[in-house]
Amino acid sequence: MLTVTNLLKAYDGHPVLTIPDLTFPPGIHYFRGSNGSGKTTFLRVVAGLLPFSGRIQLAQTYDIRQQPVDYRLRVNYAEAEPRYPDFLTARDLATFVANAKRAPAGQVNQLADLLGVSAFWTQPTRTFSSGMLKKLSLLLAWLGHPSLVLLDEPLTTLDVETAGRLFDFIQERVRQGVSVWLTSHQDITLTGLPLTASWQVSNGTISPIDHDPAV
Amino acid sequence: MTRLFNRLFIQPFYEQNAGSLLVVTLLAFGFMRPMDHEALITAALGSPLLLGLVFLLWGLYTLKAITFIIARLNDPTHLFLTAFRLVSRANRWLVWSAVLIGLLLPVLGYAGWMLARAVHYDQWFALNGIIGFLIGLVVVGVSVVDYRLRHPAPDRFRLPRPAFRLPYLLFFPTYWLRHEPLSLLLTKGCSGLLLIGVCRLYPTDEYDERLLLIGLLLSVLFQASVPRQLSQFEGRYLPLLDNLPYSVNRRFGQYMVLYGLLWLPELGLLMRNRPDAVSIGYIALLWLTGWGWLGLLHAFTYGRDVDPNRWLAILFAGFILGLLTIMAGLPVVVWGLLGWGVALVYTQLRSLPLNVTS
């Protein structure tokens, strides 16, 4: 599904993440680790938001550098703490991202209904609560035809009803072949999501958690 | 505390306004000789009207500094500053005064020169006026920013939001207008006035087109902070842009359309004030050249943390080099090709954000 080779991510010359060689099979992957362990950095690197050295390849075909457009068409990302220009509405942002990600007709409305974004569709984001911002970021992360969706702390600030609908939707999309990577400080087993693998992010690297009861 | 406030307010202010401050310095000390300043200061000290004009300029600059501080206080990333309210009023005023004085250094420097001449010429009324006005600027500035700190009400007044679906092309212009209106006004106003001034300088039959190129150079320098403002805006609020499936060329094209939109008012001003001896074709070429050079500034600065001192030095060196090559007769076509060509090639080389490495 996704292969990471010789990845080195450094801030101001100090390495924060070193991954010699890792292959992630399709499915739902859960990344755990303490604050500042590098979970968000890793997801942001995979999303193409942060510079790094090394190689990332999706489905043995789409290299993040060699096929940057094709790669970004297939890898979507939802931030842990989303922030948007306060004068823009959910409609402005969703329309913009949907066009860029080549979303099929009707997808935006479907996701807006699913995540409850329709209720504040034309309000500027400065009036949003953190939960509303989270819903909008989750909506943007599912636009287009992603093969891999990176959800950084999707449970934070999300209300229980919306979280339930999101988990059902994730399961449905995973059955259709989409992979989902999650980070969370909450107990992920409560979501009922069938995890493919769990990963520990610590000491500047990522390693599989064998015999994780959540899997 | 003053060190923190220096990093929060003073450093970013000079960083953001490096281009416009450089142009003002070049105009004030490049084209005017020290003896011209002496004459101007002597005249201002003896004329309340002229002194009033100087005060007006200083007041505008102070307004810019105050709005900068208020914009920072309203920024969600600076919400932690609300804790500063817990500090005693006397200490708050001391810190704010240090910040204001730091921001008003260019004004204070020139005022110091004027005060020295006032003493020399025994102009005590003007001297008292200048000292009083400077104290007034600092006191008013401190009062306003401290009031804003104690009354955080960013929702009190806002420009109405457009009712239509806002396209990406208008994201940054809208942000600029709503969040940094004075910066927009001063940047575009000064750039436009410069071009109008150069066009009307010698509207004779034998107009030297090199003057227009110098005006263009200064006008572009005035806008040198715009790519940095755009970069900060998108880095802060739209990191998702880097995850969008756009090719390098498409990204470059989108930004060039945006700069074309921002640079459009200058086309109208150039056409309207075109000297008789200058053809419409030349004006169009001149405008295209400025557009390309804005793109070049974008290619060099977008997504980068450039040290403000280094940035100022680069702009200054660029101005000197530009001035020399213009005076040597380098035609506008070459300038245009250089701007567009280097911007395009350098964008391909950087390939942001697609070929990024740590």
Side-chain angles (χ1 to χ4, degrees), chain A residues 8 47-53 64-65 68-69 72-73 75-77 79 83-89 91-93 95-97 100-101 126 140, chain B residues 75 77 155 158 161 163-166 168 171 174-175 178-179 233 236-247 251 353-358:
Chain A
L8 173 66
L49 303 185
L50 290 178
F52 68 97
S53 63
I64 195 170
R65 292 202 177 89
V69 175
R72 282 167 173 78
L73 268 174
V75 177
N76 288 4
Y77 174 63
E79 299 236 34
R83 288 177 64 196
Y84 304 108
D86 63 1
F87 52 89
L88 293 182
T89 63
R91 179 181 66 177
D92 295 330
L93 284 159
T95 308
F96 168 55
V97 177
K101 291 279 185 181
R126 73 164 180 275
L140 300 180
Chain B
D75 192 303
T77 57
D155 287 331
R158 278 186 191 278
R161 203 203 157 275
F164 55 88
R165 191 172 298 180
L166 211 63
Y168 167 69
F171 284 6
T174 309
Y175 169 80
R178 294 176 69 91
H179 288 267
F233 162 69
R236 187 178 296 171
Y237 298 108
L238 294 167
L240 62 86
L241 288 176
D242 290 350
N243 179 249
L244 298 185
Y246 292 150
S247 64
R251 283 177 201 269
L354 307 175
N355 283 332
V356 289
T357 53
S358 60

Side-chain angles (χ1 to χ4, degrees), chain A residues 25-45:
Chain A
I28 302 177
H29 293 260
Y30 170 46
F31 295 83
R32 62 165 65 166
S34 55
N35 295 128
S37 57
K39 301 185 298 294
T40 295
T41 296
F42 180 58
L43 291 198
R44 287 171 68 92
V45 162

Side-chain angles (χ1 to χ4, degrees), chain B residues 272-327:
Chain B
R272 188 173 168 79
N273 296 281
R274 176 175 62 90
D276 295 338
V278 177
S279 69
I280 289 179
Y282 185 87
I283 292 290
L285 210 53
L286 199 71
W287 184 78
L288 284 171
T289 300
W291 188 9
W293 278 82
L294 282 177
L296 183 61
L297 284 173
H298 173 87
F300 279 133
T301 57
Y302 188 87
R304 272 201 175 126
D305 283 328
V306 187
D307 175 63
N309 293 329
R310 199 169 159 220
W311 178 233
L312 205 62
I314 290 170
L315 290 180
F316 185 71
F319 173 74
I320 299 295
L321 194 68
L323 202 60
L324 288 173
T325 45
I326 289 170
M327 296 318 286

Side-chain angles (χ1 to χ4, degrees), chain B residues 68-85:
Chain B
F68 179 83
I69 297 175
I70 290 175
R72 291 261 151 170
L73 287 176
N74 288 340
D75 192 303
T77 57
H78 289 61
L79 272 180
F80 68 94
L81 278 173
T82 49
F84 188 47
R85 291 173 65 183

Side-chain angles (χ1 to χ4, degrees), chain B residues 175-190:
Chain B
Y175 169 80
W176 202 8
L177 178 67
R178 294 176 69 91
H179 288 267
E180 298 173 24
L182 198 67
S183 154
L184 171 67
L185 194 71
L186 287 177
T187 304
K188 300 308 288 180
C190 293

Side-chain angles (χ1 to χ4, degrees), chain B residues 200-236:
Chain B
R200 295 192 170 182
L201 203 54
Y202 299 112
T204 61
D205 291 343
E206 295 177 7
Y207 191 89
D208 190 343
E209 289 175 342
R210 286 180 301 181
L211 266 178
L212 277 175
L213 257 177
I214 293 172
L216 181 82
L217 179 65
L218 288 170
S219 180
V220 169
L221 278 177
F222 235 109
Q223 318 215 22
S225 63
V226 178
R228 292 165 64 83
Q229 285 170 274
L230 171 65
S231 176
Q232 283 169 0
F233 162 69
E234 294 195 338
R236 187 178 296 171

